[in-house]
Structure formats: structure tokens, C-alpha cells
Amino acid sequence: MIRKELMTVVRQREIAYRIFELTARGSIVGDMEPGQFVHIRPADSFEPLLRRPISIAAIEPEKKEFTMLYRTEGRGTEVLAEKKSGDALDVLGPLGNGFPVHEAKRKALLVGGGIGVPPLYELARQLSTLGVETVHVLGFDSADSVFYESEFSAIGKTYVATVDGTRGTAGFVTHVLEGIPDDFDTYYSCGPAPMLKAVEQLYPGKTGYLSYEQRMGCGIGACFACVCKSNDARDYVKVCSDGPVFPAGVVAG
């Protein structure tokens, strides 16, 4: 159920270049699922006006805490990065449709690019709890923007690719994928649309789920700011409410 809540910031820190990890506490945590997101109001004033959509990276229901990772790239996230322990955080959520965790049976491939990496972390944790082996391929721009490599490695085999070659494989996640076995039954991916299309094309016939990044206004399907062309009878889908996770093949390239 979607609710608006003033949550409490537990802690916040910068974990990589312009990448912040923020943990907050509140009652809506119990409703969260991997792959969903929250809509954050960065400040109490009307500047900045719009909420910011941020994916859920980790869920701790017993503590009523969740963690989100985000990149500072505008006024809203710059204001959010100033939040400290004990501050109030205006949260609307959880929003959207998450990853179908139970679709994976034996082994799953998780592929993330940049700020598309965070929602895969809670997914990996839940799959591991279910006894599903996970392999992670994470793509970043450079070594100073890499995050959560050790956290993913603690769960399963993890590969890192950087565009400039300063860490892991030089290039994109596809350069890693072309060199590893495709013996998984299900894949999950989140990141820029070109990366998602490339992953989709690598594994025709495989069961896959893709989480799309799109600019959003309302986050609840009312403003139509995040529509994408669809390959099914709907013609267009709203990433915020129909997604952000879709079965492979639904969103047109």
C-alpha cells in the first residue's frame, strides 16, 4: 500500500564519487519489495518543487529500516545529501512493481549499470535466502564510481566493468557477459535503456526482467511523464506504475 510518511534518517555517507548511501527508519518499510522505489521530497520548502524517485537498495523489516543509494546530479539530490542522522525525510512509497523474486529457480544473473546497481542488491539477498545462486555483473564509469562490490561479492560471484578500464574489465557489462557461461535460468537487469536492450539481445529465449530508469513527475501514474513505447497491446506503458520492472520484450527499444 502506498503511503506518505515522515521517516527518520538513521545515517548517511558518501560511498563513492557523488554516490550517497542513506538509511531511514519508518513503518512503510514492511511493505517494500526489491525493485520498487520511493519518491523523496528533499526539502521542506517548495524549492526544489518535485519529488525525486530513488530505488530501494536494502530492506531491514525487523528494524523498520531501508537503505537507498543515489547519485548527486542536481539541486534535489544535492539538498538530500545534506541530510544527517535524526533529520526527517518525507517519503512516498513504496511505488511501482518490483522484481518477481520467485521466478528464479536455480541460478540467476543480475546485471546492473551505474545507479541501476542498487535495486539489485536487495534482490540478490532475497534470492540467496531462497537458495538461488546469483552471479552479478556491475558496470561503472571508472574506479572512483564503483560501489557495493564487496557487498555483492559476499553473496555470489561478482564481476565489475568500467568504461575507462581503471577497475575490472575495460568496457561495458556486455564485454563481461560475452565471456561468462549462460547457465542461469533467469536474468534481472537495471540500468540505462541501451544497456537493457543489449542484455535482452544477448539472451533471446531466456526468462528475463528489466527495470527501466526514466524521468518521473508524480511517481504514481498520473502525469504521464515517464511513458515508454510498448510491444504489447497497451501501446505505451508508464514506468512508474506499470513498472519499473517489466518482463523482457515488453518495452520497445
Side-chain angles (χ1 to χ4, degrees), residues 55-146:
S55 58
I56 296 165
I59 307 166
E60 303 288 350
E62 67 283 357
K63 297 180 181 179
K64 295 185 178 180
E65 294 179 1
F66 86 101
T67 297
M68 58 186 189
L69 308 180
Y70 64 94
R71 179 172 54 218
T72 54
E73 52 187 350
R75 176 61 179 159
T77 46
E78 287 174 355
V79 172
L80 183 59
E82 297 172 359
K83 294 282 187 181
K84 297 178 176 58
S85 176
D87 287 349
L89 185 66
D90 189 325
V91 180
L92 179 68
L95 300 170
N97 296 297
F99 291 110
V101 178
H102 293 278
E103 286 297 313
K105 306 303 180 187
R106 180 185 55 84
K107 184 175 182 179
L109 172 69
L110 280 59
V111 184
I115 209 63
V117 169
L120 299 177
Y121 181 59
E122 179 62 27
L123 173 65
R125 297 205 306 171
Q126 293 199 18
L127 288 172
S128 179
T129 298
L130 293 172
V132 176
E133 178 185 356
T134 58
V135 177
H136 321 112
V137 180
L138 314 177
F140 304 92
D141 288 334
S142 59
D144 64 358
S145 61
V146 174

Side-chain angles (χ1 to χ4, degrees), residues 173-221:
V173 294
T174 48
H175 293 105
V176 176
L177 295 174
E178 290 166 354
I180 63 175
D182 63 350
D183 57 346
F184 55 89
D185 54 81
T186 309
Y187 70 88
Y188 303 88
S189 187
C190 182
M195 186 203 82
L196 298 181
K197 179 55 64 177
V199 172
E200 191 176 46
Q201 291 175 342
L202 275 175
Y203 304 115
K206 288 273 191 182
T207 299
Y209 296 91
L210 309 175
S211 180
Y212 285 80
E213 301 172 347
Q214 195 78 351
R215 288 189 178 276
M216 298 178 187
C218 69
I220 57 174

Side-chain angles (χ1 to χ4, degrees), residues 18-81:
R18 293 169 54 209
I19 302 294
F20 286 78
E21 176 193 71
L22 187 154
T23 299
R25 181 183 299 117
S27 63
I28 66 174
V29 172
D31 296 326
M32 293 178 175
E33 298 177 0
Q36 291 186 302
F37 67 97
V38 290
H39 230 195
I40 304 295
R41 186 178 180 187
D44 295 333
S45 66
F46 288 105
E47 193 284 315
L49 178 61
L50 296 178
R51 290 178 177 268
R52 267 49 179 183
I54 301 178
S55 58
I56 296 165
I59 307 166
E60 303 288 350
E62 67 283 357
K63 297 180 181 179
K64 295 185 178 180
E65 294 179 1
F66 86 101
T67 297
M68 58 186 189
L69 308 180
Y70 64 94
R71 179 172 54 218
T72 54
E73 52 187 350
R75 176 61 179 159
T77 46
E78 287 174 355
V79 172
L80 183 59

